[in-house]
Amino acid sequence: MTESARSEGPRRPPGGHISRLPPGQYVPRGWPVLHYGRVPRIDLQSWDLRIFGATASGQEHFLDYPEMMALPTSEVGADFHCVTKFSMLDNRWTGILARDLMAVCPPADDVAHVLIWAEYGYSSNVRLSDFVAADTVFAHTHNGVPLSVEHGWPLRFICPPLYAWKSTKWVRAIEYLTEDRRGFWENRGYHNVGAAWSEQRYSYQERPEDGPPL
Ligand SMILES: Nc1nc2c(c(=O)[nH]1)N[C@H]1C(S)=C(S)[C@@H](COP(=O)(O)O)O[C@H]1N2
Ligand SMILES: [Mo]
């Protein structure tokens, strides 16, 4: 694994106690709904997940909803950090681990980044090392209750150590990349990596190795 958000986590400040919250974050009263554009209308009959780009076979894969739901189910406990500074602690996400999906539709050997695509063209990129982590999940259920459409039903990506703009709602496609490519917010001022514990909020904070030139 390359240098990764995974090695980071709660730190003991000079004063003593360990904070559950990354720097600059607070816990709001409810669970805010935040996204760009409209909430899509979902039709499970026509829904599919497309896996394309640099696949190992060179072929695109398509999974319909029953095929996706037939993959092994996992539950992940994780906090959720939005760059606008709200955090939701102790979420239980149920769904399909990204690594389990990847085992079925593997990438080519030279893939190091992944773009997650949503309905209406929203996208966000993550490093393959974050994609295959044990707590990266395509979730359909939150704390035992199916996600509302506003929160990304029927399937949303969750990558806990990264800011939540990388937790794409209404996922429809996964693109395997041999060269990193920025998604929607990474092209509009947010950090290409976005590790919350390192406060990688904005693209002006990036080191050259953090992402492709803007
Ligand atoms: N498809 C899609 N997913 C998205 C977004 C979006 O605009 N479109 N916004 C992201 C941002 S910026 C945040 S903070 C979270 C918010 O998730 P929530 O509405 O479930 O709290 O969704 C992320 N996923
Ligand atoms: Mo966000």
Side-chain angles (χ1 to χ4, degrees):
M1 197 156 79
T2 54
E3 185 209 356
S4 160
R6 305 276 150 196
S7 57
E8 294 150 14
R11 290 173 193 153
R12 192 184 295 273
H17 75 279
I18 292 175
S19 176
R20 290 282 317 271
L21 287 173
Q25 299 294 115
Y26 73 97
V27 176
R29 217 169 269 256
W31 185 6
V33 169
L34 206 61
H35 51 262
Y36 180 83
R38 292 174 40 223
V39 174
R41 264 198 44 230
I42 305 295
D43 172 17
L44 283 188
Q45 298 299 317
S46 59
W47 188 97
D48 61 11
L49 181 69
R50 176 183 177 217
I51 295 107
F52 71 111
T55 60
S57 65
Q59 308 282 315
E60 293 185 10
H61 302 261
F62 290 91
L63 283 85
D64 62 20
Y65 203 66
E67 287 169 335
M68 187 68 187
M69 292 302 113
L71 295 179
T73 297
S74 298
E75 198 162 270
V76 163
D79 300 341
F80 180 85
H81 309 296
C82 172
V83 73
T84 66
K85 302 198 170 177
F86 75 82
S87 287
M88 307 289 298
L89 302 182
D90 299 319
N91 305 281
R92 261 189 310 122
W93 304 103
T94 313
I96 295 94
L97 293 182
R99 51 164 67 162
D100 288 338
L101 176 68
M102 209 178 85
V104 179
C105 309
D109 287 342
D110 52 347
V111 168
H113 297 86
V114 179
L115 258 177
I116 318 290
W117 291 93
E119 305 274 356
Y120 297 159
Y122 183 88
S123 65
S124 185
N125 58 329
V126 297
R127 297 175 296 188
L128 191 67
S129 54
D130 286 321
F131 190 75
V132 301
D135 56 356
T136 299
V137 62
F138 291 92
H140 50 70
T141 298
H142 175 260
N143 292 349
V145 181
L147 287 168
S148 64
V149 182
E150 287 73 19
H151 285 300
W153 187 88
L155 201 65
R156 83 171 295 168
F157 184 65
I158 292 290
C159 192
L162 307 183
Y163 283 120
W165 82 78
K166 294 202 179 265
S167 285
T168 300
K169 304 194 270 193
W170 316 301
V171 174
R172 288 297 302 274
I174 291 158
E175 183 178 359
Y176 290 136
L177 304 174
T178 53
E179 274 177 59
D180 195 9
R181 187 163 5 112
R182 292 169 191 271
F184 183 88
W185 284 119
E186 296 83 7
N187 266 318
R188 290 170 176 77
Y190 285 122
H191 196 285
N192 189 59
V193 178
W197 282 97
S198 309
E199 251 196 305
Q200 294 176 330
R201 296 179 187 274
Y202 306 111
S203 50
Y204 66 72
Q205 300 171 286
E206 288 175 19
R207 303 158 299 179
E209 64 270 28
D210 287 334
L214 267 164

